[in-house]
Amino acid sequence: MHRPASGQNQPMIARTPQPPYYAVIFTSTRTEVDEGYGDMAALLESIALDQPGYLGIEHAREAVGITVSYWTDEASIAAWKAQADHQLAQRYGREKWYAAFALRIAKVERAYGFIAE
Amino acid sequence: MHRPASGQNQPMIARTPQPPYYAVIFTSTRTEVDEGYGDMAALLESIALDQPGYLGIEHAREAVGITVSYWTDEASIAAWKAQADHQLAQRYGREKWYAAFALRIAKVERAYGFIAE
């Protein structure tokens, strides 16, 4: 059982701890094939929440889609990459959903934020 | 004079070199104040293109906006932060345009990509 991915319809700014931690920046352009994409995205977000080392996620799509997920360390990212449903999604992504993508793994060294009063 | 920001209406996946390089991940939620925002965004993107160390930019906005800019090194990021127009934009951003934001500076350690055949 996975807890509901309450944020999946209104993803917001992730509440991450003090650096260092890791970011996976996934930038993509879509094909016109939508088959199964929304369901898989929702499933993956709900599973990611339960992955060890998961810290948060941010997503937006216009001409490109950008998904940034945050993780405590590289081992957590490797485990998520190898997770079974995610493996299937990666295969479908290349076969059907994505015209192109770039995936970048980056160590967050500094961070700051702002909330309007 | 700045060369036109040809990508500003259709930002795509940035063509970045082999890592290491740096990413600035700027995630924001907007206020309802639009005054000057679009013009400033276009101006800043055109200026950023001419900044030393600039490698590329990716942007999308739905419930949150995510802008990821890529830079050769931290000195380039510091210079861009201090650039005059950008300083003004940072002030207006806090005063008018952003309800909240997070800014994360991260070192890209690994990257790979895919283009459908």
Side-chain angles (χ1 to χ4, degrees), chain A residues 36-109:
Chain A
Y37 178 79
D39 288 345
M40 180 64 90
L43 173 67
L44 285 185
E45 184 166 334
S46 72
I47 295 173
L49 291 173
D50 285 331
Q51 283 282 304
Y54 173 84
L55 295 176
I57 196 163
E58 296 165 342
H59 174 76
R61 177 174 297 281
E62 288 183 295
V64 296
I66 305 176
T67 299
V68 189
S69 58
Y70 299 99
W71 303 86
T72 53
D73 51 40
E74 291 191 276
S76 302
I77 295 170
W80 173 232
K81 185 178 180 186
Q83 195 276 343
D85 300 283
H86 194 195
Q87 283 276 321
L88 189 63
Q90 290 168 54
R91 200 185 97 200
Y92 287 169
R94 288 174 183 261
E95 288 176 3
K96 296 195 293 189
W97 297 322
Y98 296 119
F101 70 70
L103 188 143
R104 298 177 176 97
I105 296 171
K107 184 178 187 177
V108 178
E109 298 180 343

Side-chain angles (χ1 to χ4, degrees), chain A residues 18-52:
Chain A
Q18 288 297 308
Y21 53 87
Y22 275 80
V24 178
I25 308 165
F26 181 76
T27 310
S28 64
T29 53
R30 288 284 312 278
T31 61
E32 290 176 2
V33 179
D34 224 36
E35 182 195 338
Y37 178 79
D39 288 345
M40 180 64 90
L43 173 67
L44 285 185
E45 184 166 334
S46 72
I47 295 173
L49 291 173
D50 285 331
Q51 283 282 304

Side-chain angles (χ1 to χ4, degrees), chain A residues 16 27 58 99 103-105 112 116, chain B residues 16 27 58 99 103-104 112 116:
Chain A
T16 41
T27 310
E58 296 165 342
L103 188 143
R104 298 177 176 97
I105 296 171
Y112 58 91
Chain B
T16 41
T27 310
E58 296 165 343
L103 189 143
R104 300 176 176 98
Y112 57 92

